[in-house]
Short mmCIF file of all heavy atoms in Angstrom, two decimals:
data_model
loop_
_atom_site.label_atom_id
_atom_site.label_comp_id
_atom_site.label_asym_id
_atom_site.label_seq_id
_atom_site.Cartn_x
_atom_site.Cartn_y
_atom_site.Cartn_z
N ALA A 280 -47.26 -127.32 40.46
CA ALA A 280 -46.07 -126.49 40.27
C ALA A 280 -44.84 -127.31 39.91
O ALA A 280 -44.08 -126.94 39.02
CB ALA A 280 -45.82 -125.65 41.53
N GLU A 281 -44.62 -128.43 40.60
CA GLU A 281 -43.40 -129.20 40.34
C GLU A 281 -43.41 -129.90 38.98
O GLU A 281 -42.36 -130.29 38.48
CB GLU A 281 -43.17 -130.23 41.45
CG GLU A 281 -44.09 -131.42 41.42
CD GLU A 281 -43.63 -132.52 42.37
OE1 GLU A 281 -42.56 -132.38 42.97
OE2 GLU A 281 -44.37 -133.51 42.51
N LEU A 282 -44.61 -130.05 38.37
CA LEU A 282 -44.70 -130.69 37.06
C LEU A 282 -44.74 -129.69 35.91
O LEU A 282 -44.59 -130.07 34.75
CB LEU A 282 -45.95 -131.58 37.00
CG LEU A 282 -46.03 -132.72 38.02
CD1 LEU A 282 -47.33 -133.50 37.84
CD2 LEU A 282 -44.83 -133.64 37.89
N GLY A 283 -44.96 -128.41 36.23
CA GLY A 283 -45.01 -127.39 35.19
C GLY A 283 -46.42 -127.16 34.68
O GLY A 283 -47.34 -127.94 34.95
N PRO A 284 -46.63 -126.10 33.91
CA PRO A 284 -47.98 -125.71 33.48
C PRO A 284 -48.57 -126.60 32.40
O PRO A 284 -49.76 -126.52 32.11
CB PRO A 284 -47.77 -124.29 32.96
CG PRO A 284 -46.36 -124.27 32.47
CD PRO A 284 -45.60 -125.17 33.42
N ASP A 285 -47.76 -127.44 31.77
CA ASP A 285 -48.24 -128.23 30.63
C ASP A 285 -48.66 -129.65 30.99
O ASP A 285 -48.98 -130.45 30.11
CB ASP A 285 -47.15 -128.30 29.54
CG ASP A 285 -46.77 -126.92 29.03
OD1 ASP A 285 -47.70 -126.08 28.90
OD2 ASP A 285 -45.58 -126.67 28.77
N ALA A 286 -48.68 -129.97 32.27
CA ALA A 286 -49.10 -131.31 32.69
C ALA A 286 -50.62 -131.42 32.56
O ALA A 286 -51.36 -130.80 33.31
CB ALA A 286 -48.66 -131.58 34.12
N ASP A 287 -51.08 -132.21 31.59
CA ASP A 287 -52.51 -132.34 31.35
C ASP A 287 -53.11 -133.42 32.26
O ASP A 287 -52.39 -134.11 32.99
CB ASP A 287 -52.77 -132.67 29.87
CG ASP A 287 -52.07 -133.93 29.41
OD1 ASP A 287 -51.76 -134.79 30.26
OD2 ASP A 287 -51.82 -134.07 28.20
N PRO A 288 -54.46 -133.57 32.24
CA PRO A 288 -55.09 -134.58 33.12
C PRO A 288 -54.53 -135.99 32.94
O PRO A 288 -54.41 -136.74 33.92
CB PRO A 288 -56.56 -134.51 32.70
CG PRO A 288 -56.74 -133.10 32.24
CD PRO A 288 -55.46 -132.74 31.57
N PHE A 289 -54.18 -136.38 31.72
CA PHE A 289 -53.62 -137.71 31.49
C PHE A 289 -52.31 -137.87 32.27
O PHE A 289 -52.08 -138.90 32.92
CB PHE A 289 -53.36 -137.94 30.00
CG PHE A 289 -52.62 -139.21 29.72
CD1 PHE A 289 -53.28 -140.45 29.76
CD2 PHE A 289 -51.26 -139.20 29.41
CE1 PHE A 289 -52.59 -141.63 29.52
CE2 PHE A 289 -50.57 -140.38 29.16
CZ PHE A 289 -51.25 -141.59 29.22
N MET A 290 -51.46 -136.86 32.24
CA MET A 290 -50.19 -136.92 32.96
C MET A 290 -50.42 -136.99 34.46
O MET A 290 -49.73 -137.72 35.18
CB MET A 290 -49.31 -135.72 32.59
CG MET A 290 -48.75 -135.76 31.20
SD MET A 290 -47.72 -134.32 30.86
CE MET A 290 -46.40 -134.53 32.05
N LEU A 291 -51.39 -136.22 34.95
CA LEU A 291 -51.68 -136.24 36.39
C LEU A 291 -52.15 -137.63 36.82
O LEU A 291 -51.74 -138.13 37.87
CB LEU A 291 -52.75 -135.19 36.72
CG LEU A 291 -52.38 -133.73 36.46
CD1 LEU A 291 -53.48 -132.81 36.95
CD2 LEU A 291 -51.05 -133.37 37.11
N HIS A 292 -53.01 -138.25 36.02
CA HIS A 292 -53.44 -139.61 36.32
C HIS A 292 -52.25 -140.57 36.31
O HIS A 292 -52.14 -141.47 37.16
CB HIS A 292 -54.48 -140.09 35.29
CG HIS A 292 -55.86 -139.60 35.55
ND1 HIS A 292 -56.38 -138.47 34.96
CD2 HIS A 292 -56.83 -140.06 36.36
CE1 HIS A 292 -57.61 -138.27 35.38
NE2 HIS A 292 -57.91 -139.22 36.23
N LEU A 293 -51.37 -140.40 35.34
CA LEU A 293 -50.21 -141.28 35.21
C LEU A 293 -49.29 -141.17 36.42
O LEU A 293 -48.88 -142.18 37.00
CB LEU A 293 -49.45 -140.95 33.92
CG LEU A 293 -48.22 -141.80 33.62
CD1 LEU A 293 -48.62 -143.26 33.48
CD2 LEU A 293 -47.54 -141.32 32.34
N TYR A 294 -48.97 -139.94 36.81
CA TYR A 294 -48.10 -139.74 37.98
C TYR A 294 -48.75 -140.31 39.24
O TYR A 294 -48.08 -140.93 40.07
CB TYR A 294 -47.80 -138.25 38.17
CG TYR A 294 -46.71 -137.73 37.28
CD1 TYR A 294 -47.00 -136.85 36.24
CD2 TYR A 294 -45.38 -138.09 37.47
CE1 TYR A 294 -45.99 -136.37 35.40
CE2 TYR A 294 -44.38 -137.61 36.66
CZ TYR A 294 -44.68 -136.75 35.62
OH TYR A 294 -43.69 -136.28 34.81
N ALA A 295 -50.06 -140.10 39.39
CA ALA A 295 -50.76 -140.62 40.56
C ALA A 295 -50.73 -142.15 40.57
O ALA A 295 -50.54 -142.78 41.61
CB ALA A 295 -52.20 -140.11 40.60
N ALA A 296 -50.93 -142.75 39.39
CA ALA A 296 -50.92 -144.21 39.30
C ALA A 296 -49.54 -144.77 39.64
O ALA A 296 -49.42 -145.80 40.32
CB ALA A 296 -51.33 -144.64 37.89
N LEU A 297 -48.49 -144.11 39.17
CA LEU A 297 -47.14 -144.57 39.47
C LEU A 297 -46.85 -144.49 40.97
O LEU A 297 -46.25 -145.39 41.55
CB LEU A 297 -46.12 -143.73 38.68
CG LEU A 297 -46.08 -143.98 37.17
CD1 LEU A 297 -45.18 -142.95 36.49
CD2 LEU A 297 -45.61 -145.39 36.86
N ALA A 298 -47.29 -143.39 41.58
CA ALA A 298 -47.07 -143.22 43.02
C ALA A 298 -47.83 -144.28 43.80
O ALA A 298 -47.33 -144.84 44.78
CB ALA A 298 -47.52 -141.82 43.45
N GLU A 299 -49.07 -144.58 43.36
CA GLU A 299 -49.87 -145.59 44.04
C GLU A 299 -49.23 -146.97 43.92
O GLU A 299 -49.20 -147.76 44.87
CB GLU A 299 -51.28 -145.59 43.44
CG GLU A 299 -52.28 -146.40 44.25
CD GLU A 299 -53.69 -146.22 43.73
OE1 GLU A 299 -54.37 -145.25 44.13
OE2 GLU A 299 -54.12 -147.05 42.92
N LYS A 300 -48.71 -147.28 42.72
CA LYS A 300 -48.05 -148.55 42.50
C LYS A 300 -46.80 -148.68 43.37
O LYS A 300 -46.53 -149.74 43.96
CB LYS A 300 -47.67 -148.69 41.03
CG LYS A 300 -46.99 -150.01 40.67
CD LYS A 300 -47.91 -151.20 40.90
CE LYS A 300 -47.28 -152.48 40.41
NZ LYS A 300 -48.13 -153.67 40.70
N GLU A 301 -46.05 -147.60 43.48
CA GLU A 301 -44.83 -147.62 44.30
C GLU A 301 -45.16 -147.90 45.76
O GLU A 301 -44.49 -148.69 46.43
CB GLU A 301 -44.10 -146.28 44.17
CG GLU A 301 -42.80 -146.24 44.97
CD GLU A 301 -42.14 -144.88 44.90
OE1 GLU A 301 -42.79 -143.92 44.47
OE2 GLU A 301 -40.97 -144.78 45.30
N ARG A 302 -46.24 -147.27 46.26
CA ARG A 302 -46.64 -147.51 47.65
C ARG A 302 -47.06 -148.97 47.86
O ARG A 302 -46.75 -149.57 48.88
CB ARG A 302 -47.79 -146.57 48.03
CG ARG A 302 -47.38 -145.13 48.21
CD ARG A 302 -48.48 -144.34 48.91
NE ARG A 302 -49.76 -144.47 48.24
CZ ARG A 302 -50.14 -143.76 47.21
NH1 ARG A 302 -49.31 -142.86 46.69
NH2 ARG A 302 -51.34 -143.92 46.67
N ALA A 303 -47.77 -149.54 46.86
CA ALA A 303 -48.20 -150.93 46.96
C ALA A 303 -46.99 -151.87 46.99
O ALA A 303 -46.97 -152.84 47.76
CB ALA A 303 -49.11 -151.28 45.79
N LEU A 304 -45.97 -151.58 46.18
CA LEU A 304 -44.77 -152.42 46.16
C LEU A 304 -44.02 -152.34 47.48
O LEU A 304 -43.54 -153.35 48.00
CB LEU A 304 -43.86 -151.99 45.00
CG LEU A 304 -44.37 -152.31 43.59
CD1 LEU A 304 -43.46 -151.68 42.54
CD2 LEU A 304 -44.46 -153.82 43.37
N ILE A 305 -43.93 -151.12 48.04
CA ILE A 305 -43.25 -150.94 49.33
C ILE A 305 -43.98 -151.73 50.41
O ILE A 305 -43.37 -152.41 51.24
CB ILE A 305 -43.17 -149.45 49.70
CG1 ILE A 305 -42.19 -148.73 48.75
CG2 ILE A 305 -42.72 -149.27 51.15
CD1 ILE A 305 -42.19 -147.23 48.91
N SER A 306 -45.31 -151.65 50.39
CA SER A 306 -46.11 -152.37 51.39
C SER A 306 -45.92 -153.88 51.26
O SER A 306 -45.76 -154.60 52.26
CB SER A 306 -47.59 -152.01 51.21
OG SER A 306 -48.38 -152.72 52.12
N ALA A 307 -45.90 -154.37 50.00
CA ALA A 307 -45.72 -155.81 49.77
C ALA A 307 -44.34 -156.27 50.23
O ALA A 307 -44.20 -157.33 50.85
CB ALA A 307 -45.91 -156.12 48.29
N ARG A 308 -43.31 -155.47 49.95
CA ARG A 308 -41.95 -155.84 50.37
C ARG A 308 -41.85 -155.86 51.89
O ARG A 308 -41.16 -156.70 52.47
CB ARG A 308 -40.94 -154.86 49.77
CG ARG A 308 -40.68 -155.08 48.28
CD ARG A 308 -39.44 -154.36 47.83
NE ARG A 308 -39.58 -152.92 47.89
CZ ARG A 308 -39.97 -152.16 46.88
NH1 ARG A 308 -40.26 -152.71 45.71
NH2 ARG A 308 -40.06 -150.86 47.01
N THR A 309 -42.52 -154.92 52.55
CA THR A 309 -42.50 -154.88 54.02
C THR A 309 -43.16 -156.13 54.59
O THR A 309 -42.63 -156.75 55.52
CB THR A 309 -43.23 -153.62 54.53
OG1 THR A 309 -42.58 -152.45 54.01
CG2 THR A 309 -43.21 -153.57 56.05
N ARG A 310 -44.31 -156.52 54.03
CA ARG A 310 -44.99 -157.73 54.51
C ARG A 310 -44.12 -158.97 54.30
O ARG A 310 -44.03 -159.83 55.18
CB ARG A 310 -46.33 -157.89 53.79
CG ARG A 310 -47.42 -156.92 54.24
CD ARG A 310 -48.79 -157.39 53.78
NE ARG A 310 -48.84 -157.55 52.32
CZ ARG A 310 -49.19 -156.58 51.47
NH1 ARG A 310 -49.50 -155.37 51.96
NH2 ARG A 310 -49.23 -156.80 50.18
N ASP A 311 -43.49 -159.05 53.14
CA ASP A 311 -42.63 -160.21 52.85
C ASP A 311 -41.45 -160.28 53.82
O ASP A 311 -41.07 -161.36 54.29
CB ASP A 311 -42.12 -160.14 51.41
CG ASP A 311 -43.23 -160.38 50.40
OD1 ASP A 311 -44.29 -160.88 50.80
OD2 ASP A 311 -43.03 -160.03 49.21
N ALA A 312 -40.88 -159.10 54.12
CA ALA A 312 -39.73 -159.06 55.03
C ALA A 312 -40.14 -159.50 56.43
O ALA A 312 -39.41 -160.23 57.11
CB ALA A 312 -39.14 -157.66 55.06
N LEU A 313 -41.31 -159.07 56.89
CA LEU A 313 -41.80 -159.46 58.21
C LEU A 313 -42.07 -160.96 58.26
O LEU A 313 -41.79 -161.63 59.25
CB LEU A 313 -43.07 -158.68 58.55
CG LEU A 313 -42.88 -157.18 58.83
CD1 LEU A 313 -44.23 -156.49 59.00
CD2 LEU A 313 -42.02 -156.97 60.07
N LYS A 314 -42.65 -161.49 57.15
CA LYS A 314 -42.92 -162.93 57.08
C LYS A 314 -41.62 -163.73 57.18
O LYS A 314 -41.53 -164.73 57.89
CB LYS A 314 -43.61 -163.23 55.75
CG LYS A 314 -45.01 -163.77 55.91
CD LYS A 314 -45.58 -164.16 54.57
CE LYS A 314 -46.92 -163.48 54.43
NZ LYS A 314 -47.61 -163.85 53.18
N ALA A 315 -40.62 -163.28 56.43
CA ALA A 315 -39.33 -163.98 56.42
C ALA A 315 -38.68 -163.92 57.80
O ALA A 315 -38.11 -164.90 58.29
CB ALA A 315 -38.41 -163.36 55.37
N ALA A 316 -38.77 -162.77 58.46
CA ALA A 316 -38.19 -162.62 59.79
C ALA A 316 -38.86 -163.55 60.79
O ALA A 316 -38.21 -164.20 61.61
CB ALA A 316 -38.30 -161.17 60.25
N LYS A 317 -40.20 -163.62 60.70
CA LYS A 317 -40.95 -164.50 61.61
C LYS A 317 -40.58 -165.97 61.37
O LYS A 317 -40.43 -166.76 62.32
CB LYS A 317 -42.44 -164.29 61.40
CG LYS A 317 -43.31 -164.98 62.44
CD LYS A 317 -44.78 -164.61 62.26
CE LYS A 317 -45.64 -165.26 63.34
NZ LYS A 317 -47.06 -164.90 63.19
N ALA A 318 -40.43 -166.35 60.08
CA ALA A 318 -40.05 -167.73 59.75
C ALA A 318 -38.68 -168.08 60.28
O ALA A 318 -38.38 -169.24 60.58
CB ALA A 318 -40.10 -167.92 58.23
N ASN A 319 -37.79 -167.09 60.42
CA ASN A 319 -36.44 -167.31 60.92
C ASN A 319 -36.36 -167.21 62.45
O ASN A 319 -35.27 -167.17 63.02
CB ASN A 319 -35.47 -166.31 60.29
CG ASN A 319 -35.24 -166.59 58.82
OD1 ASN A 319 -35.30 -167.75 58.39
ND2 ASN A 319 -34.99 -165.54 58.04
N GLY A 320 -37.52 -167.11 63.09
CA GLY A 320 -37.55 -167.12 64.54
C GLY A 320 -37.43 -165.76 65.19
O GLY A 320 -37.31 -165.66 66.41
#
């Protein structure tokens, strides 16, 4: 519904891939931040 009736399978795959990539980046940034915090004591 939020994408409209013309979103074809290619678009659905694309949106899903972008969302998956965003989650991976957030997870990586969180791990890096925790590592940096631990290194700083």
Side-chain angles (χ1 to χ4, degrees):
E281 73 169 355
L282 300 179
D285 300 322
D287 58 23
F289 172 77
M290 289 180 63
L291 297 185
H292 279 95
L293 181 60
Y294 279 110
L297 289 172
E299 192 172 274
K300 181 63 174 177
E301 182 184 14
R302 287 194 307 277
L304 290 173
I305 290 172
S306 178
R308 285 195 293 267
T309 301
R310 286 196 303 270
D311 290 344
L313 290 173
K314 244 185 232 183
K317 189 174 182 179
N319 290 329

